[in-house]
Amino acid sequence: MIKTSAWKSRVTNLCLEVITSALVILWIYTSISKIFDYDNFKTQLGLSPFLEGMNGFIAVALPAGELLLALALIIRRTRKLGLYLSFGLMFLFTGYIWIMLHFAYDLPCSCGGVLAEMSWDEHLWFNAGMTLLAAIAIFMIEHKQHAASSSAAQMRMA
Amino acid sequence: MNKRIIIRLVLIMVGAIAILGTLMAITTMPNEKDNGFVRKWAREEALEPVDTFHLAQDLSSIAGINDNSIFIAGASPKGVLILNKKTHAKEILQINLKVASDKLVPFYMKIDSPNIFLHLNNARVIIDGKFPNSPFRITELETGIFIKSLQLNDSTALIKVPDSSLTSQYLYLKNINTGQIEKITELKDKNEKFVELKYDGMLLFDSINHTIIYLEYFRNKIFALDTNLSLKYESQTIDTISSIDLNLVKQTKNDTTNKLTASTARILVNNFGTISKGQLYVLSELRADNQDIRDFNKHLNIDIYNVQNGAYVNSITVKKPDSFIPKSMYIDKNTLYIHFNKEIRIYNLPHTNR
């Protein structure tokens, strides 16, 4: 029984590390791509009917925020917060792509690096997948922390 | 504990949806307000497709049609899908092009079976030949990278090129048999003002009236030129978008390539155009005041003009299949072909437009 539980815990830890690493890589990669291709990114944002006029602010704030998010995921103390924020941002991106696909009258591409090669539909599915992974990671980290605090409490009582 | 996590995630999702909802609420969408024009319908009901061809992949545009086949250019000019009109059989024509992949698109392809004409904008070449087996002839252009082009007949191609400052645009007539440039002219309106590069448009040709049509994408402008590139008349589509607030920015990539791109969202006025029997068919993206917005969103609206004088004749409408995006439009012998991303739908044109 203990063996099974330890094995389960190891698998959960491994999955959590894999998902967190994937998110860290994603945030660092996309933010750096945006920074290196800043002019193009800002222009493409300006082409979005929903972000017109805000493109200057978003072009700076978004890559900076993505880098901070990656940092939050790397630091263990802030990892849970990083996962919640990752979930929120990925959900926001997914929703944004959905409204662009359904309502926008001009479809620019404002992503960076290889992600720019994806079609809008592919992007929607990719982002939805990453949102789901972030949600799974949140459940894992919450359960892990809960289990850790429960066992710590039990030890204190003992 | 799961309940607490779910509540947090739902709250985050609600927050994100609120942000997106606010963005949508503060954005003025085209066609929300009346556009100040009305359409005259050739017939009240939408045209129904008489045949449909399903497409497995996303293709570029209809390159030609003859009695037996529909030729559709692939996403790359290296492949052409040939659809048999009667049996619906599909065949792929491979074109062996020794051109760097970054120079393959954008391109223009015209198939007047068995002749094939291929214009590669970034490679600055015109390729022509007869398929399936004849060798291709390559004509290099002395111009810079071109933006739009059109094959007028077997020997002459029309090329639209930006000037070096990327502000105005020139038209070139190139004879691919002699290699000579037959004419160069600046694209100017009736007041002799340059039609700036930001007023991009499509090139169409009416072989009956020997008229070249320059139909703008983002304004209601139609310029008709003769085959000597002299302006015959300047007219307008029925909508009222006579000016646009469209800004272009020049971007330099890797310190070598200049790219001109729009810096604000563009409202498309005229999406596609095609000419048949002296009539110009324009797929418009604007709602007329005598159309309900929900009804408009479910249909494609095609306005018809007389090429001889640019006068509006009437309009037809076809049902837009859900989640389908129109990619090109073609008319051959009273039959309208609309190429969507997933299908080609065929419609018989009403008698009044024949």
Side-chain angles (χ1 to χ4, degrees):
Chain A
M1 186 73 178
I2 294 165
K3 259 187 179 178
T4 316
S5 165
W7 181 83
K8 217 173 136 184
S9 163
R10 243 178 269 157
V11 171
T12 306
N13 278 343
L14 182 69
C15 289
L16 186 59
E17 290 299 325
V18 169
I19 296 172
T20 309
S21 306
L23 286 167
V24 169
I25 292 166
L26 177 74
W27 294 133
I28 292 177
Y29 177 73
T30 54
S31 60
I32 288 176
S33 302
K34 283 166 187 150
I35 292 164
F36 277 102
D37 202 13
Y38 173 77
D39 283 341
N40 182 38
F41 175 56
K42 190 180 160 193
T43 306
Q44 295 293 322
L45 279 177
L47 277 173
S48 163
F50 303 108
L51 303 176
E52 252 182 303
M54 293 183 248
N55 59 332
F57 169 72
I58 295 174
V60 174
L62 191 59
E66 286 174 344
L67 278 178
L68 285 175
L69 247 176
L71 197 66
L73 288 167
I74 292 166
I75 299 167
R76 286 204 178 269
R77 273 179 55 195
T78 54
R79 181 169 288 180
K80 190 165 86 176
L81 175 70
L83 283 172
Y84 273 105
L85 290 173
S86 295
F87 171 80
L89 199 56
M90 285 313 297
F91 185 82
L92 189 67
F93 288 170
T94 309
Y96 171 72
I97 291 174
W98 189 85
I99 64 166
M100 284 296 283
L101 276 169
H102 286 82
F103 301 105
Y105 49 87
D106 204 356
L107 266 185
C109 180
S110 38
C111 41
V114 290
L115 298 185
E117 302 298 318
M118 284 187 194
S119 71
W120 279 84
D121 277 322
E122 287 165 346
H123 226 115
L124 182 72
W125 287 109
F126 176 81
N127 282 11
M130 292 308 289
T131 310
L132 189 67
L133 284 180
I136 291 168
I138 288 168
F139 276 96
M140 284 174 172
I141 201 164
E142 287 278 20
H143 280 279
K144 189 181 150 189
Q145 287 186 354
H146 180 72
S149 58
S150 300
S151 62
Q154 273 174 5
M155 279 176 74
R156 271 199 302 273
M157 279 172 72
Chain B
M1 187 178 64
N2 281 348
K3 200 175 159 189
R4 203 181 63 209
I5 302 168
I6 290 167
I7 289 169
R8 278 186 197 160
L9 294 180
V10 168
L11 284 175
I12 291 170
M13 287 193 285
V14 169
I17 291 167
I19 292 170
L20 294 171
T22 309
L23 283 178
M24 285 183 72
I26 60 170
T27 305
T28 310
M29 301 300 282
N31 297 313
E32 272 179 4
K33 293 177 188 160
D34 282 352
N35 287 310
F37 71 97
V38 290
R39 287 198 162 93
K40 193 168 71 184
W41 299 107
R43 49 176 259 179
E44 285 297 320
E45 313 84 48
L47 303 186
E48 292 292 333
V50 290
D51 205 353
T52 301
F53 293 84
H54 299 282
L55 302 174
Q57 68 266 67
D58 206 358
L59 302 168
S60 176
S61 64
I62 298 175
I65 288 173
N66 66 15
D67 288 345
N68 304 316
S69 310
I70 305 168
F71 302 92
I72 312 149
S76 145
K78 285 186 168 183
V80 178
L81 178 70
I82 306 173
L83 292 175
N84 186 302
K85 281 191 195 175
K86 289 181 189 86
T87 64
H88 284 219
K90 290 174 185 167
E91 197 185 327
I92 291 174
L93 172 74
Q94 298 280 2
I95 302 174
N96 187 19
L97 291 171
K98 291 187 180 79
V99 177
S101 56
D102 62 331
K103 297 223 157 72
L104 284 171
V105 284
F107 68 93
Y108 160 88
M109 186 187 283
K110 179 186 175 182
I111 296 179
D112 186 7
S113 176
N115 299 310
I116 181 164
F117 302 94
L118 178 60
H119 303 181
L120 300 179
N121 301 33
N122 291 340
R124 289 174 267 179
V125 293
I126 295 173
I127 297 166
D128 71 301
K130 289 187 197 312
F131 66 83
N133 292 321
S134 88
F136 286 111
R137 173 177 61 175
I138 297 175
T139 308
E140 291 197 5
L141 296 171
E142 304 81 351
T143 66
I145 288 168
F146 55 91
I147 309 166
K148 292 281 182 313
S149 64
L150 180 71
Q151 191 70 33
L152 300 184
N153 52 43
D154 290 356
S155 61
T156 314
L158 176 67
I159 312 290
K160 192 182 84 159
V161 187
D163 72 340
S164 55
S165 66
L166 298 179
T167 48
S168 52
Q169 42 193 349
Y170 286 79
L171 293 174
Y172 283 68
L173 274 181
K174 175 85 175 176
N175 189 313
I176 55 172
N177 289 334
T178 63
Q180 297 295 309
I181 291 177
E182 293 182 339
K183 179 95 183 182
I184 305 172
T185 189
E186 302 96 334
L187 189 56
K188 286 179 180 172
D189 64 13
K190 61 185 177 195
N191 300 319
E192 291 288 303
K193 260 182 76 180
F194 279 114
V195 178
E196 288 178 54
L197 190 59
K198 65 181 181 180
Y199 301 125
D200 193 16
M202 62 195 98
L203 292 167
L204 305 161
F205 184 57
D206 177 13
S207 54
I208 294 174
N209 294 304
H210 303 286
T211 302
I212 296 159
I213 295 288
Y214 180 75
L215 174 66
E216 290 192 13
Y217 290 111
F218 307 109
R219 288 193 306 180
N220 63 348
K221 295 279 180 195
I222 303 172
F223 297 96
L225 302 104
D226 61 22
T227 47
N228 199 32
L229 303 183
S230 301
L231 186 68
K232 281 171 95 171
Y233 66 83
E234 184 185 320
S235 180
Q236 56 191 51
T237 49
I238 50 170
D239 57 87
T240 50
I241 311 284
S242 57
S243 65
I244 46 164
D245 185 19
L246 183 66
N247 299 308
L248 298 180
V249 287
K250 220 183 283 185
Q251 289 183 331
T252 306
K253 219 173 183 183
N254 306 326
D255 293 331
T256 53
T257 319
N258 279 330
K259 188 181 161 193
L260 199 67
T261 180
S263 60
T264 49
R266 298 155 298 178
I267 297 172
L268 197 57
V269 173
N270 302 308
N271 198 343
F272 300 108
T274 185
I275 291 176
S276 173
K277 296 185 175 177
Q279 290 194 312
L280 168 66
Y281 293 75
V282 180
L283 178 56
S284 168
E285 291 296 323
L286 294 184
R287 180 180 65 84
D289 297 355
N290 58 339
Q291 284 179 288
D292 172 69
I293 181 103
R294 275 171 297 181
D295 196 44
F296 170 82
N297 287 334
K298 288 179 189 161
H299 292 84
L300 298 178
N301 300 287
I302 299 164
D303 302 321
I304 303 157
Y305 302 87
N306 187 332
V307 173
Q308 273 185 317
N309 52 19
Y312 170 63
V313 180
N314 54 27
S315 302
I316 50 174
T317 183
V318 302
K319 220 172 192 177
K320 183 162 63 179
D322 282 344
S323 78
F324 279 25
I325 301 159
K327 305 270 291 187
S328 64
M329 182 170 84
Y330 203 101
I331 293 174
D332 180 60
K333 292 180 185 151
N334 304 320
T335 305
L336 167 69
Y337 298 79
I338 301 184
H339 163 213
F340 296 97
N341 51 336
K342 293 170 189 168
E343 275 180 6
I344 287 193
R345 293 193 167 196
I346 301 177
Y347 307 83
N348 286 331
L349 286 172
H351 287 280
T352 47
N353 294 315
R354 292 182 185 178

